[in-house]
Amino acid sequence: MRCIFVSREGFPESMYKKLEEAGRVEVYRHGGSPWSTRGVPKSVLIEAARRCEALVIFIGDVVDREVLDAGAALKIVSTASVGVDHIDVEYARKRGVVVAHTPYVLVDAVADLAVGLLLAVARRIALGDRLIRSGAAEAVWGSLMGVDLRWKRAGIVGLGSIGSAIARRLTAFGVEVVYWSRRRKPEAEFSLGISYVELDELLATSDFVIVTMALTPETRRFFNRERFQRMKRGAYFVNVARGGLVDTEALVEALETGVLAGAALDVFDVEPLPAGHRLASMDNVVLTPHIGSAAVETRRRMAELAAENVVSFFKTGRAIYSV
């Protein structure tokens, strides 16, 4: 019977039961939340690749060349995430290993969080909460000033399904939405009532810049010092995509010098964010620990779809969603 390795215990039981339709399931005792981005040791993944025909993983579990080279019988790597930057996809293709992921199911959860983060930083909701809890709110009671969303311009960088869902939500707030993407999308422009602009114009004119683009070798540190300097002074920056898209030192500089009025981040170039990091001491920054898809219903469906990808592959030769 074929071996299917799952890198975490604690995923929804429906996931493991589904995988049993395709083979014998081996579960690594991760020792924490199954949704933690603290990855499985590489040695564990190498040993699993040697024994098993399928790996079911989460972000943080790095499947690189060394792991793939160990997998003489490995046929599919299925990740319970939409992003696949923790997998060497090109090398997997060369070795004939299918990479599957779980797009679409997390769109609404991530879009909800993006708008929540924008509201939290623009209206200073998180700061107000901290001040009350620390007993320091009396001096600013009733006078903690933020900015309206209505009549502002939001620029979305990377218009995929998540970016489109964010645009749909923001237009309901009376926000003008523009976007830049490597490929223009006229159908989305028509259906959402948004406009395409070149990247430099988006940065220079947007009150809110929201990042939803994929992390690739070409987009790593896409938001560097030069691009932050091109942004409209006093703008807000929101990242719900991947931390590696941002040069963190350049972001800190833009916040400290007033180029940006604030930032809201769910992802970081190093996760977890190191204790005592400068971002954590800034009153104009809202931070969440990579929880874009962390809604109970969404994560359950992600786990089930990761399993369905494996079962479909072994039954039909095709995963439902391969990269």
Side-chain angles (χ1 to χ4, degrees), residues 16 93 143 153 169 173 183 205 265 268 298 305 313:
Y16 305 104
R93 287 196 184 106
S143 63
R153 170 178 274 199
R169 285 157 172 76
F173 281 85
R183 182 172 60 85
T205 64
L265 311 170
F268 308 90
T298 296
L305 184 52
F313 174 78

Side-chain angles (χ1 to χ4, degrees), residues 21-35:
E21 297 178 18
R24 175 175 53 84
V25 179
E26 292 187 8
V27 182
Y28 177 69
R29 302 303 168 186
H30 179 260
S33 166
W35 302 109

Side-chain angles (χ1 to χ4, degrees), residues 208-242:
F208 314 117
V209 173
I210 304 169
V211 185
T212 63
M213 68 195 308
L215 176 63
T216 67
E218 293 74 29
T219 61
R220 185 169 293 279
R221 295 199 169 191
F222 187 86
F223 281 90
N224 52 24
R225 187 176 187 276
E226 181 183 359
R227 287 202 167 104
F228 282 125
Q229 291 295 323
R230 292 180 189 175
M231 288 178 62
K232 181 178 181 179
R233 191 168 186 86
Y236 293 83
F237 180 78
V238 179
N239 186 9
V240 291
R242 284 290 186 267

Side-chain angles (χ1 to χ4, degrees), residues 47 73 167 180 182 204-205 228 239 257 274 292 294 296 299 306 308 312 320:
E47 183 55 35
W180 174 84
R182 283 171 288 184
T205 64
F228 282 125
N239 186 9
T257 59
V296 171
R299 287 282 176 89
E308 290 167 9
S312 175
I320 299 170

Side-chain angles (χ1 to χ4, degrees), residues 67-297:
V67 175
L68 291 165
D69 280 339
L74 186 63
K75 294 181 173 61
I76 181 170
V77 177
S78 181
T79 178
S81 65
V82 62
V84 293
D85 47 284
H86 54 303
I87 304 168
D88 191 331
V89 175
E90 291 303 318
Y91 193 65
R93 287 196 184 106
K94 291 178 182 178
R95 291 193 56 84
V97 176
V98 170
V99 176
H101 64 152
T102 59
Y104 308 117
V105 295
L106 47 64
V107 167
D108 287 324
V110 178
D112 287 348
L113 182 72
V115 175
L117 286 171
L118 178 53
L119 285 166
V121 69
R123 291 300 308 274
R124 310 189 81 182
I125 295 170
L127 175 58
D129 178 81
R130 290 197 301 272
L131 290 173
I132 289 177
R133 292 175 188 274
S134 67
E138 182 179 352
V140 297
W141 204 272
S143 63
L144 191 62
M145 303 297 288
V147 298
D148 287 331
L149 270 62
R150 187 170 176 79
W151 308 124
K152 298 296 194 306
R153 170 178 274 199
I156 297 175
V157 180
L159 192 79
S161 54
I162 292 172
S164 295
I166 293 170
R168 191 175 298 112
R169 285 157 172 76
L170 288 179
T171 54
F173 281 85
V175 177
E176 178 198 5
V177 178
V178 298
Y179 80 97
W180 174 84
S181 186
R182 283 171 288 184
R183 182 172 60 85
R184 187 168 179 176
K185 302 181 179 180
E187 290 183 4
E189 294 170 31
F190 177 78
S191 63
L192 296 170
I194 64 177
S195 301
Y196 173 87
V197 296
E198 294 296 335
L199 179 61
D200 283 349
E201 181 181 347
L202 182 149
L203 296 177
T205 64
S206 295
D207 301 288
F208 314 117
V209 173
I210 304 169
V211 185
T212 63
M213 68 195 308
L215 176 63
T216 67
E218 293 74 29
T219 61
R220 185 169 293 279
R221 295 199 169 191
F222 187 86
F223 281 90
N224 52 24
R225 187 176 187 276
E226 181 183 359
R227 287 202 167 104
F228 282 125
Q229 291 295 323
R230 292 180 189 175
M231 288 178 62
K232 181 178 181 179
R233 191 168 186 86
Y236 293 83
F237 180 78
V238 179
N239 186 9
V240 291
R242 284 290 186 267
L245 294 165
V246 178
D247 180 336
T248 302
E249 289 302 310
L251 172 60
V252 169
E253 177 186 330
L255 289 162
E256 290 180 336
T257 59
V259 172
L260 296 179
L265 311 170
D266 185 50
V267 289
F268 308 90
D269 55 354
V270 176
E271 295 186 0
L273 188 70
H277 196 283
R278 278 188 290 170
L279 285 170
S281 66
M282 294 181 172
D283 286 340
N284 59 341
V285 175
V286 176
L287 308 170
T288 52
H290 205 144
I291 58 171
S293 64
V296 171
E297 301 86 351

